[in-house]
Amino acid sequence: MGYANSGFGSAMLLRKARDLSTLEDETSTLDHSDMGYVMFCTVGVFMITPAIGLFYGGALKRKNVLQMCFQSYMTTCIITIQWFLIGYTLACSTTSTSHVLGNFKLGALQNLGAAPLFEGGTIPSIVYFTFSVFFPVATVQIFVGAIAERARLLPSMVVGFIWTTVCYCPFAYATWASNGWLYQLGALDFAGGGPVHIASGVSSLAYSMYIGKRKQWKTEDGKDHKPYSPIAVFTGVTLIWGTWLCFNSGTLLAVNVRTGYIMANTQIAASFASFFFVMVDYIITKKFSIIAACEGAIVGLVNITPSCGFYSPYWAAITSAFVAICCRLLYPVNEWLAIDDTTHSFVVHGVGGILGSICLGVFASPYIAGLDGVTEIEGGWIFHHWKQMGYQFAAWTSTTIWSFVATYAICFIVDHIPGLKLRASEEAEMLGMDAYEMAEMADEYDIEEMFARFTRNGGSVYSNSNMEVIEAASSTKQNFEGSKSVSRTKVEDVV
């Protein structure tokens, strides 16, 4: 019971009583088990940030590792800001009448309250906000990794912010919002095969084409450069694998039998894909490869993302093996298209995502979808629902076309803004983006020797003027030495 010793105090008690009543109405459908599981998965999916940094960074030359790690961190920050200001409301609005994009009602998380995002939901909207932000974070991290070893950080962050608004938000709204045109059409995509994987893979292709090839794309004998740290790649992909168990199972936003199938399908898919990817790679190269094992696991996760909530485990295994074989055979696509997609994102995420969407149109199961007690679908081709493949075709083709065109246009626009030129100078590329842009390096080197090598090599090979190269090296060296005290005990050939 409340007590008040004044009229003002009585008014306050009455207001609190009304607020309590409103709170009870808003939270009446919430389920503590569902809330707890989604918040647990949110912590799990945060690990995508160091995971992608280690995965991409470890596959590069060592003079460019920190750029990838730093970029993954800044991407998380910047996309979270975008999601807070406008992204969440544009992608997840339940009050918009548009079939393409949400409204601004929830901008900056205003008007959020304690209620679920949609009527009858079991988790509050604020919990879904934090979980859902890591979908665009992961998507942007995948495709802006295309800058590796030859492009600048700051413009990539601007590109990522704009791209999330122009591409990801419309894709997410169309796919998952009740008024979204793909949702109403009947296209299936459980956890982001289109908005995350196809979009990021195709955008990586466009980004790579725009900024061009690395100057040191291949070794003198035409082979790829050896990765700086396969251990870092292994660690990063292991984190991604664990993260994706949380991504996919948490997307149901509930804990029931279907949640168990989703997690099992995710584990099965990554395992089958990794094994078959390695076997094909071994047939081609006659050697086992930890890098191939890691990339195969990613292919499996890409394949199962749109279908984990619709497949029986049998089809999760079969389709993942099929997609893994296809993606490994298509790995020479960089040479075929004469592009330098540094992280192979187009093949792994773009082609893998498209094949995953097509397979979903064939093998989607009404039984598995209905294990949550509420979802009803007609299934794929094996259940004689012939139209489903047409719905899937509409989804992946529209996502592919818009991703490529919009990304290329965004790159062109940002590249022509003063101070935001995407491509770094030849001197910066030869020196290494870590030292040139960040004045930091992954390992300890004899800095004097490093810059001496840079000056000797760069002056004769990459620049019309020795003085320009020497000045660039000298400027970077001063920045490096001014910000860090580096032990000069290990001499390595950085360039």
Side-chain angles (χ1 to χ4, degrees):
M1 179 179 294
Y3 296 90
N5 59 4
S6 68
F8 179 78
S10 299
M12 289 297 294
L13 290 176
L14 289 172
R15 178 181 176 183
K16 288 180 180 180
R18 286 194 295 269
D19 288 346
L20 180 61
S21 176
T22 301
L23 179 63
E24 290 175 346
D25 291 341
E26 288 182 337
T27 61
S28 61
T29 62
L30 301 185
D31 184 282
H32 291 149
S33 297
D34 294 348
M35 291 168 59
Y37 187 70
V38 173
M39 285 191 283
F40 163 79
C41 288
T42 300
V43 177
V45 297
F46 167 77
M47 298 309 296
I48 199 70
T49 291
I52 291 181
L54 290 171
F55 174 32
Y56 286 173
L60 305 176
K61 294 188 286 291
R62 69 167 171 263
K63 61 184 179 180
N64 302 295
V65 173
L66 290 187
Q67 186 192 48
M68 287 292 98
C69 293
F70 180 77
Q71 185 188 56
S72 69
Y73 219 85
M74 286 299 98
T75 296
T76 299
C77 298
I78 290 169
I79 302 308
T80 298
I81 293 170
Q82 191 276 352
W83 203 242
F84 166 73
L85 293 175
I86 57 174
Y88 184 62
T89 187
L90 291 178
C92 304
S93 172
T94 58
T95 58
S96 173
T97 57
S98 170
H99 296 304
V100 179
L101 197 62
N103 55 29
F104 290 96
K105 183 178 180 180
L106 300 179
L109 300 189
Q110 296 298 304
N111 306 310
L112 205 62
L117 180 64
F118 50 89
E119 186 176 354
T122 60
I123 67 167
S125 186
I126 189 63
V127 171
Y128 184 61
F129 164 82
T130 314
F131 175 75
S132 64
V133 70
F134 290 101
F135 284 75
V137 163
T139 307
V140 175
Q141 284 177 348
I142 291 168
F143 94 83
V144 295
I147 76 166
E149 302 192 327
R150 83 273 204 188
R152 299 171 59 219
L153 278 167
L154 179 59
S156 76
M157 296 295 96
V158 177
V159 169
F161 187 99
I162 298 172
W163 187 94
T164 304
T165 306
V166 173
C167 293
Y168 182 83
C169 289
F171 294 156
Y173 183 85
T175 302
W176 295 311
S178 58
N179 280 334
W181 73 275
L182 287 174
Y183 183 91
Q184 293 196 338
L185 181 67
L188 299 177
D189 190 335
F190 186 81
V196 176
H197 294 299
I198 297 175
S200 63
V202 173
S203 296
S204 181
L205 173 66
Y207 208 155
S208 300
M209 291 181 66
Y210 187 87
I211 61 179
K213 300 176 184 177
R214 291 165 288 177
K215 297 299 180 184
Q216 298 173 331
W217 185 22
K218 300 285 185 180
T219 60
E220 292 182 358
D221 58 0
K223 296 181 179 179
D224 290 332
H225 285 277
K226 292 185 181 300
Y228 161 67
S229 175
I231 295 297
V233 175
F234 170 75
T235 304
V237 171
T238 302
L239 290 173
I240 290 173
W241 191 330
T243 290
W244 232 259
L245 291 170
C246 292
F247 258 124
N248 286 352
S249 62
T251 298
L252 187 61
L253 306 181
V255 180
N256 52 51
V257 176
R258 193 181 182 197
T259 313
Y261 270 88
I262 292 166
M263 184 169 285
N265 284 341
T266 304
Q267 176 67 18
I268 291 167
S271 300
F272 268 78
S274 182
F275 176 80
F276 280 91
F277 196 98
V278 166
M279 291 300 101
V280 175
D281 185 75
Y282 181 83
I283 292 171
I284 294 172
T285 66
K286 309 303 180 185
K287 299 289 184 182
F288 288 115
S289 168
I290 185 65
I291 302 295
C294 291
E295 291 175 336
I298 297 296
V299 169
L301 296 172
V302 169
N303 168 64
I304 203 64
T305 295
S307 52
C308 56
F310 302 112
Y311 274 175
S312 65
Y314 178 82
W315 292 119
I318 296 299
T319 60
S320 295
F322 166 72
V323 174
I325 293 170
C326 291
C327 286
R328 180 58 186 89
L329 295 175
L330 289 173
Y331 245 50
V333 74
N334 275 7
E335 286 76 13
W336 299 343
L337 298 178
I339 61 168
D340 184 11
D341 181 13
T342 322
T343 57
H344 296 285
S345 294
F346 173 62
V347 172
V348 172
H349 296 275
V351 175
I354 290 171
L355 291 175
S357 180
I358 293 172
C359 290
L360 176 57
V362 178
F363 303 113
S365 166
Y367 172 75
I368 299 298
L371 287 175
D372 58 8
V374 294
T375 302
E376 295 181 3
I377 64 170
E378 295 184 63
W381 273 19
I382 61 172
F383 294 96
H384 310 295
H385 185 220
W386 314 116
K387 293 182 180 179
Q388 191 60 51
M389 189 63 78
Y391 301 155
Q392 300 305 115
F393 179 83
W396 70 258
T397 54
S398 60
T399 302
T400 298
I401 294 170
W402 182 243
S403 295
F404 186 88
V405 173
T407 303
Y408 204 90
I410 293 169
C411 289
F412 178 85
I413 294 170
V414 173
D415 192 41
H416 287 79
I417 298 174
L420 293 180
K421 185 174 179 59
L422 268 61
R423 183 71 187 244
S425 65
E426 294 183 7
E427 288 78 10
E429 182 178 343
M430 187 180 67
L431 176 63
M433 301 309 299
D434 291 356
Y436 197 88
E437 277 208 301
M438 301 178 61
E440 294 176 330
M441 303 191 74
D443 294 327
E444 295 181 347
Y445 301 107
D446 186 326
I447 303 304
E448 298 286 352
E449 177 65 15
M450 182 189 72
F451 282 100
R453 291 176 186 273
F454 170 69
T455 303
R456 288 197 303 269
N457 295 337
S460 60
V461 178
Y462 287 101
S463 177
N464 294 326
S465 168
N466 288 348
M467 185 57 66
E468 291 178 3
V469 179
I470 293 170
E471 289 177 352
S474 176
S475 174
T476 305
K477 176 182 171 184
Q478 291 174 6
N479 291 337
F480 194 102
E481 293 181 337
S483 62
K484 297 291 176 186
S485 175
V486 182
S487 172
R488 297 184 174 94
T489 58
K490 183 178 179 182
V491 178
E492 295 284 349
D493 186 0
V494 178
V495 179

